[in-house]
Amino acid sequence: MPDLDLNLLVALDALLTERSVSGAARKLGLSTSAMSRTLSRLRRALGDQILVPAGRAMVATPHAEAIASQVRTLTLAVQTVLSPPPVTQIRDLRRDFTIRANDSFVLLYAARLSATVTEAAPGVRLSFAPKPDKDIEPLRNASIDLDIGVVSGNGAELRGQTLFEDSFVGVARTGHPILASQPVSAASYAACGHVVGSRRGEFSGAVDDALAELGLSRKVHLVVPSYPAVLAVAASSDLVGVVPRSCCQAETMGATSLFELPVETPRFIITQTWHPRMDADPVHRWLRALIFDELRSRPEATGNAAPLASHSLNHDPLSPSAAG
């Protein structure tokens, strides 16, 4: 098969519409000689004369007549495909989006985001998918539209946007003896029984590393798979836990109170991540902007927006056990 030249298709459509070399040239903004050369190329490619003289005019050959409507349809289709997308009316959208996030994010923000989306675009629906791992393949194959919390692996191709910065705090049931001493000392903290949030079932984290530098260690009695579970356990026992500060909101705290950890743990960045194929999609851009504005309006959100390239793709900010 010879190499395809879409310019030939457009030229053929103009020739069959105008039935004139000079008329087709004017329509396409070409010189008559250039259009004559294009007609010669078309004749060689199709093995047909296409247009032949008839007195002072030109007429189409039977083959040209037979393909004229098909050429017109193909030309219009190519022009549609190669044109910018039409202006999107957000209010009239009908589209579903899948967002991968862990339990903490869903508990804290799903209802709020849904209400904001519904108010702006009643036909847009959100589906929150579980986050059992950080595999980037679902972003590549479009089975998810956004990931909240940076995925690991070979994710250099991905795009992302900082939503807010967070840090870890300690949590204990209201009235727990650890809360009586403020600030909490590293020794009294280590002496408590502990519950750890870890999606992978790990018993230690950054808190243990920090305690070890002080010659201390803690005893972890229980591991649960999410930060909401840490809060639930701390509320109903004497075990103390560690959760992101963003999890400590009035509607989630229940019978627990927070305290500042007596050791340093890394701060981390909450991001939304997507595949570059969605960069220019106007509806996807609208949803990203909505999520950005909604989460940046949180009182505890700090810092300015930054591209994902400014921090590691291997950091998963809302993954239980980052601090332990």
Side-chain angles (χ1 to χ4, degrees), residues 103-112 246-249 251-252:
D103 292 346
S104 300
F105 186 89
V106 174
L107 180 65
L108 292 169
Y109 304 114
R112 178 171 157 187
S246 61
C247 289
C248 300
Q249 300 181 17
E251 61 270 29
T252 60

Side-chain angles (χ1 to χ4, degrees), residues 81-97:
V81 169
L82 298 181
S83 297
V87 176
T88 302
Q89 299 298 325
I90 298 299
R91 191 76 188 170
D92 300 328
L93 282 175
R94 294 293 183 273
R95 186 161 166 182
D96 296 340
F97 286 98

